[in-house]
């Protein structure tokens, strides 16, 4: 029920009222509207700018809006409906209170003030039918305005039916409407639907032909449907045997159209919660039951929704994009794939360019993350290389003691020993990891839902971690030996060597010493990290749910939290890798390989030794990858790839940005009039 009542200017007139009582009230109607509410000065200035920028008609030195200029001033920009801009000219008749074919500044202020009302849409529709400005609508007024806008070839409507009499009365035709008009307009489509079905059901068997059903829907709701759905309207007869359409099916289809906003909300919520981003008819009904007080849609209505979304195959699981043609009246079928005509070389160049773009952004993001947490990485390395069973080698009690001693013995610059090679190597390392992960995910992702199976998420992350080792291992071994030089210089008086000297000393094959342990660390790390990151964003922080975009802190939190289990559970492999890549000093245990290192560490130092530096590794890896991923995503956001193929999205009024409420009311008022007939306003 429409909860708002019209103002006192629409005084009720009953069957036994004197006819003259309405005339005096009608004379002061506009003045009453002008003083109905005060308009803030800043709003008047905005209206003035809008009026002056569009009013190009000048009469006797004063500016006026003609019909086209008025439409430019009040029609929403980029409207997400199929309503033509020319149809907004229908509202011109309401704004032109003097009936001179022009809208003055005073008329425009009155019209904009009306649009501020919460019941503006019904108010304007009332004004359109109230031809004599009496503040009431008679049976003849309603009938004449109705007929003037539907055309002679429209489906006939019986104005002497019992339904009309219930609203307008029967006695002498004197019953008139004021605020009751809202309820009449709300139920008008249902009565028109009933009469139209009865008109075509000549033999009264309760069925009509598919082409007759299409004609009914085109008149009543053609402006609410995409052309794809309109073309498929006759296929509704395939839901039941017989090749014809029953009254129940017509009513069910009309209910779907009338509740389209609720249909969209249920579909968006159900697909967002679905594991694979798809739903079937049972999922739709179950979510409807769980999210509404009553079961809003019947099984027949759900079947109709899935019939048109599934293009005749209602039993399949559908993604949100499949429902686009039903939800979006402007939807058009995608054009034939132009890519088929494009040469293969151009396509290959496009993929190479896109990979290079991701590679550069990944390198920049990796360098940023590595620089921030490098001091923690140095502490982690020193703690992992500490041999607790060798006499005199227990340099640090814990990570905090290590920080204190590094700062005291080597100064602040000691925390960044080996940063140069790290920055040189971290760019290709992180770039390869991020690029490979994105590449594998894009090739295994469902193009319609944007979802990827967990198994492929693990493969994508693991592949990315494995591919990075080609850069990671040489980087790690040089970095570790540079980081250990401060410790060696204190114990043995050794002169620190540069990175070039270390590379020459190790040789090409020496740079890949401990590569097996590096693989054992990096593959599980990335396989854990990337899926955890994406699921934290989507399932915990609800990214994309109802269009939500994560804030900087939410993105950073997701990336940092995902790094914690990934870092800790791969610490044993990192300890072994560190021992293999560090140059053993006199008295320290030598390791022949990864298996030998695992065995000797366990035998000499116990199981706990495999998790040495674990907390420091979490403290280092978690924020490093957090800042790296945040930087990577924000670089993509602010430096987008210019030739990126954007996925086809379902954009409707539910996803659009808020508009000026006055323009929303103007559009909704026109929708009420279009419910009378889809071509309402085109003939006037």
């Amino acid at each position: 029920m429409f909860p708002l009542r019209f103002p006192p200017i629409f005084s009720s007139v009953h069957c036994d009222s004197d006819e003259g009582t309405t005339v005096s009230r009608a004379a002061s109607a506009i003045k009453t509207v002008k003083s109905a509410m005060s308009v803030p000065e800043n709003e008047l200035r905005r209206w003035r700018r809008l009026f002056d920028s569009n009013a190009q008609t000048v009469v006797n030195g004063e500016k006026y809006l003609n019909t086209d200029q008025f439409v430019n001033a009040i029609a929403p920009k980029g409207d997400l409906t199929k309503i033509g801009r020319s149809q907004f000219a229908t509202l011109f008749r309401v704004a032109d209170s003097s009936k001179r074919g022009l809208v003055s500044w005073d008329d425009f202020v009155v019209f904009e003030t009306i649009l501020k009302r919460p019941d503006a849409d019904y108010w304007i529709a009332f004004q359109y039918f109230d031809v004599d400005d009496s503040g009431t609508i008679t049976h003849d007024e309603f009938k004449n305005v109705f007929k003037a806008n539907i055309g002679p070839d429209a489906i006939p409507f019986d104005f002497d039916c019992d339904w009309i009499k219930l609203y307008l009365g029967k006695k002498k035709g004197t019953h008139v409407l004021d605020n009751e008009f809202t309820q009449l307009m709300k139920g008008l489509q249902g009565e028109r639907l009933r009469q139209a079905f009865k008109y075509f059901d000549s033999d009264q068997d309760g069925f009509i032909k598919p082409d007759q059903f299409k004609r009914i829907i085109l008149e009543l709701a053609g402006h609410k449907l995409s052309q794809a759905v309109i073309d498929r309207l006759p296929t509704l007869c395939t839901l039941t045997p017989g090749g014809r359409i029953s009254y129940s099916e017509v009513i069910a289809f009309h209910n779907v159209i009338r509740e389209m906003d609720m249909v969209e909300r249920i579909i968006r919520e159900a697909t967002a919660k679905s594991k694979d981003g798809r739903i079937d008819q049972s999922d739709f009904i179950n979510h409807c039951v769980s999210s509404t007080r009553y079961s809003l849609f019947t099984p027949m209505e759900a079947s109709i929704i899935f019939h048109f979304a599934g293009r005749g195959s209602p039993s399949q699981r559908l993604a949100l994009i499949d429902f686009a043609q039903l939800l979006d009246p402007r939807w058009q079928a995608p054009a034939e794939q132009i890519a088929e005509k494009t040469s293969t070389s151009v396509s290959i160049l496009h993929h190479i360019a896109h990979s290079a773009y991701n590679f550069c952004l990944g390198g920049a993001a990796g360098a940023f993350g590595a620089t921030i947490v490098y001091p923690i990485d140095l502490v982690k390395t020193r703690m992992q290389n500490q041999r607790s069973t060798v006499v005199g080698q227990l340099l640090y009690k814990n990570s905090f003691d290590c920080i204190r001693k590094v700062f005291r013995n080597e100064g602040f610059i000691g925390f960044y020993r080996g940063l140069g090679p790290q920055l040189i190597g971290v760019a290709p390392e992180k770039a390869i990891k991020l690029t490979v992960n994105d590449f594998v995910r894009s090739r295994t992702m469902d193009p319609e839902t944007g979802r990827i199976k967990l198994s492929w998420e693990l493969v994508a992350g693991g592949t990315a971690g494995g591919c990075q080792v080609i850069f990671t291992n040489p980087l790690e071994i040089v970095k570790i030996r540079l980081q250990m030089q401060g410790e060696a210089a204190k114990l043995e008086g050794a002169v620190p060597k540069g990175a070039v000297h270390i590379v020459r000393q190790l040789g090409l094959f020496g740079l890949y010493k401990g590569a097996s342990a590096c693989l054992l660390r990096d593959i599980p790390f990335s396989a854990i990290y990337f899926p955890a990151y994406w699921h934290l964003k989507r399932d915990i922080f609800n990214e994309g749910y109802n269009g939500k975009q994560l804030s900087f802190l939410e993105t950073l939190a997701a990336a940092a939290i995902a790094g914690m289990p990934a870092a800790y559970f791969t610490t044993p492999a990192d300890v072994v890798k560190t021992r293999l890549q560090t140059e053993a000093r006199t008295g320290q245990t030598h390791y022949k390989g990864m298996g030998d290192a695992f065995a000797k560490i366990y035998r000499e130092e116990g199981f706990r030794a495999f998790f040495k530096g674990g907390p420091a590794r979490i403290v280092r890896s978690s924020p490093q990858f957090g800042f790296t991923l945040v930087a990577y995503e924000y670089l993509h956001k602010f430096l987008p790839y210019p030739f990126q193929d954007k996925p086809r999205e379902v954009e409707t009024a539910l996803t659009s940005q808020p508009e000026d409420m006055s323009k929303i009311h103007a559009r909704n008022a026109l929708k009420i009039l279009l419910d009378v007939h889809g071509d309402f306003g085109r003939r006037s």
Side-chain angles (χ1 to χ4, degrees), residues 3 16 36 105 108 186 194 258 278 318 493 520 533 536 569:
D16 56 351
W105 163 243
F108 189 72
K186 190 172 183 179
R194 188 192 68 81
R258 187 176 58 185
R278 297 175 179 272
L318 304 178
L520 187 62
Y533 171 64
L536 280 168
F569 289 128

Side-chain angles (χ1 to χ4, degrees), residues 94-273:
V94 177
D96 181 18
S97 59
S98 62
K99 311 304 179 188
R100 57 187 164 188
L102 295 171
V103 171
S104 66
W105 163 243
D106 290 338
D107 293 332
F108 189 72
V109 171
V110 172
F111 184 78
E112 288 289 344
T113 303
I114 291 172
L115 291 179
K116 285 173 59 66
R117 298 171 55 91
D119 57 352
D121 38 14
Y122 280 101
W123 208 102
I124 291 175
F126 185 99
Q127 288 290 90
Y128 193 90
F129 278 89
D130 184 17
V131 178
D132 60 1
D133 296 329
S134 63
T136 57
I137 298 174
T138 65
H139 178 278
D140 290 339
E141 275 184 314
F142 182 76
K143 179 178 179 179
N144 293 336
V145 173
F146 187 104
K147 285 188 172 181
N149 283 277
I150 65 173
D153 56 344
I155 300 172
F157 183 77
D158 181 13
F159 287 92
D160 294 324
C161 66
D162 292 337
W163 186 84
I164 288 290
K165 292 175 183 178
L166 290 174
Y167 283 96
L168 296 174
K170 182 178 180 181
K171 183 181 177 181
K172 298 179 183 178
T174 56
H175 190 150
V176 294
L177 290 173
D178 41 38
N179 58 340
E180 297 168 336
F181 173 79
T182 61
Q183 297 306 124
L184 180 144
M185 293 300 290
K186 190 172 183 179
L188 179 60
Q189 269 206 335
E191 176 61 18
R192 288 200 64 210
L193 188 70
R194 188 192 68 81
Q195 289 195 22
F197 187 92
K198 186 177 180 180
Y199 173 77
F200 287 117
D201 184 20
S202 56
D203 56 1
Q204 296 185 0
D205 64 349
F207 291 94
I208 60 175
K209 297 178 180 178
D211 60 322
Q212 295 169 337
F213 165 70
K214 181 176 181 179
R215 182 178 172 188
I216 293 173
I217 297 301
L218 282 177
E219 286 201 12
L220 269 64
H223 60 287
K224 299 178 180 179
L225 302 173
S226 68
Q227 189 60 45
V229 173
I230 291 174
D231 292 339
R232 297 184 62 84
L233 284 175
T235 66
L236 186 63
C237 67
T238 63
L239 287 181
T240 54
R244 293 188 298 169
I245 299 172
S246 68
Y247 183 65
S248 297
E249 290 172 320
V250 175
I251 291 296
F253 184 85
H254 181 255
N255 287 344
V256 169
I257 299 175
R258 187 176 58 185
E259 300 291 346
M260 192 61 76
D261 286 343
M262 184 57 69
V263 171
E264 180 174 351
R265 289 185 187 276
I266 292 173
I267 289 172
R268 286 186 180 275
E269 292 176 3
T271 53
K273 292 181 178 180

Side-chain angles (χ1 to χ4, degrees), residues 507-579:
L508 179 61
F509 292 103
L511 288 173
Y512 286 92
K513 186 177 182 180
S516 56
C518 200
L519 285 169
L520 187 62
R521 179 198 65 177
D522 289 343
I523 291 177
F525 180 94
S526 297
I528 295 172
Y529 180 78
F530 285 110
Y533 171 64
W534 291 108
H535 282 278
L536 280 168
K537 289 204 304 178
R538 190 188 68 194
D539 300 332
I540 303 301
F541 294 102
N542 297 320
E543 183 183 38
Y545 189 71
N546 289 334
K548 178 184 178 181
Q549 293 185 345
L550 299 189
S551 65
F552 173 83
L553 290 179
E554 287 176 321
T555 306
L556 180 61
I561 293 171
M564 294 178 182
Y568 191 75
F569 289 128
T570 56
T571 299
D574 193 50
V575 170
V576 172
K577 177 196 71 68
T578 301
R579 296 289 181 89

Side-chain angles (χ1 to χ4, degrees), residues 375-387 393 395-396 398-399 402-403 405-407 409-410 413-418 479-490 578-579 582 585 612-613 616:
I376 303 174
D377 183 61
L378 180 134
V379 173
K380 183 268 303 181
T381 301
R382 298 243 178 131
M383 289 297 299
Q384 287 182 339
N385 190 58
Q386 185 166 252
R387 319 295 174 95
Q393 297 298 312
L395 295 180
Y396 313 115
N398 50 49
S399 296
C402 180
I403 294 172
K405 289 180 177 177
V406 169
F407 183 75
N409 297 329
E410 304 171 49
I413 196 171
F415 287 108
Y416 287 92
R417 190 178 299 277
K479 179 197 71 172
I480 286 172
R481 296 203 174 190
L482 286 171
Q483 287 177 334
M484 298 307 300
Q485 283 185 2
E487 181 181 294
K490 184 175 184 299
T578 301
R579 296 289 181 89
T582 303
R585 296 190 298 272
K612 282 184 176 181

Side-chain angles (χ1 to χ4, degrees), residues 432-452:
I432 282 181
K433 177 182 285 190
L434 295 170
T435 302
V436 171
N437 180 69
D438 284 350
F439 178 81
V440 177
R441 288 181 68 93
S442 66
R443 292 298 180 273
T444 56
M445 183 181 295
D446 187 329
E448 293 184 341
T449 65
R451 302 291 181 87
I452 177 175

